[in-house]
Amino acid sequence: KRKPFPQDFLWGSASAAYQVEGAWDLDGKGKSIWDEYVRIPGTTYKDTNGDVAVDHYHRYKEDVALMAEMGLKAYRFSIAWTRILPNGTGEVNQAGIQFYSDLIDELIAHNIEPLVTIYHWDLPQALQDKYAGWESRQIIDDFDNYCRVLYKHFGDRVKYWVSLNEQNVFIGLGYLAAVHPPKVSDRKRMMQANHHANLANAKAIASFHEMVPNGLIGPSFAYGPAYPKSALPADIIAFENANEVESYWWLDVYCKGKYPRIAWNFMEENDLAPVVEPGDDAILAAGLPDFIGVNYYQTATYEWNPIDGITGDASSQNTTGKKGTSKSTGIPGMYRTVKNEFLETTDWDWTIDPQGLRIALRRLTSRYDLPILITENGLGAFDDLTADEQIHDTYRIDYLAKHVDAVHDAIADGARVLGYCTWSFTDLLSWLNGYQKRYGFVYVNRDEESMKDLRRMKKDSFYWYKKVIATNGED
Ligand code: BGP
């Protein structure tokens, strides 16, 4: 019999401010880079935006009541920087503090542990305009200042904090694939912005340890473990290159406070390494996390890519839900992605690979030996509302059940897993895929074109997760 899930295991669910809240310009909120970006025609599926999203800003009590009905132990949400500091710095907007304070109190009143993400991609537009956001070192102190405001107001009530959500994604899609703001495609600029994000993360963690000594903090990494296509040694090199450049490039900095040598060498040789100033190493080393957050959706399989090799355009992702429309990505002379013939995929071409989650947790444990919080995992799918208003999402139950089982295996293997958050609790906006790509346990009645009535309806998976929680995953 496998070792059971810990008694205090955090069975949770996650969201992000921009994807659920709506109320994009209410109560003193400033504009974020996403508020601007979605207004550029053609950047998102059917030009959808989060102006209203699923109106969690006004309906949070109803949503928390549903969480309580389910027995949810933890709810991960993000704070919109622009509600707290409309221009990124300066005067604190009390209405913003009040909103999150009320949400936190509502959760605690229902015995739900609040897990706060500090930054889930919605940078204040004012900072983008002022100094190009992450491309300037000024972001380091401004981010720290924002974090300190949060620690001061919520540090007494919130124990678990996520610093940056998926730095590898917002930097990669914002500065290389050019499908997120600020829509840049330049690997050199990407690496410099990334270095500033590393410093901002480390500094904010050091401040946290000073101001919230009893809390726990870590960044959430979008971890898609690499597989080699074959046992051909060249494919193994490609696989190892991908580990270095796609994963350890971030994870080593977070967990060891320094860049991995082989990836650094590659960056240097190709004139991509960021400018590192004296004192940066000390900042990185002084901001190590208490746990590592993992967002797991899929694995990626790599083959050798010759120096004159080709890869698809990194921006040609499947954002329509039409299977088979995404392209291979990679770096010539390093690696490129290939289809894994053993794995099924979702309609958005994401591999479905529960064992990949076990592998992710084991690799993190053997390389860093830190506690792990699974901050996201879930299945994006088209859901059908039946005539009698049911949603029979058996595919989601199947997906999640297998992933929960994989987590259980990893715990039995020795990984120290603090909790598991599904993405997501209610349906919400998918950044580039509109409202048709659904993840929730709770259906929200809206689509790309219209708000309809935003009514919440429980899917079959709602009852399934309720049982998982009640039996502490033993079912
Ligand atoms: C992660 C993000 C989430 C969420 C999720 C699903 O990368 O942290 O915010 O969006 O992926 O992605 P998508 O909406 O593209 O299907």
Side-chain angles (χ1 to χ4, degrees), residues 14-16 19 76 120-121 165-166 168-170 173 180 220 222 295-297 317-319 348 350 375-381 423-424 428-434 437-439:
S15 72
Q19 297 174 278
R76 172 180 176 235
H120 204 126
W121 306 353
N165 179 71
E166 297 190 349
N168 55 328
V169 172
F170 78 75
L173 297 188
H180 276 198
S220 277
N295 292 353
Y296 174 79
Y297 290 91
Q317 311 194 13
N318 171 350
T319 53
W348 279 261
W350 295 21
T375 38
E376 287 179 30
N377 172 238
L379 175 71
W423 185 266
S424 54
L428 41 68
L429 171 68
S430 171
W431 301 94
L432 302 178
N433 309 277
K437 189 182 190 188
R438 293 172 181 269
Y439 281 91

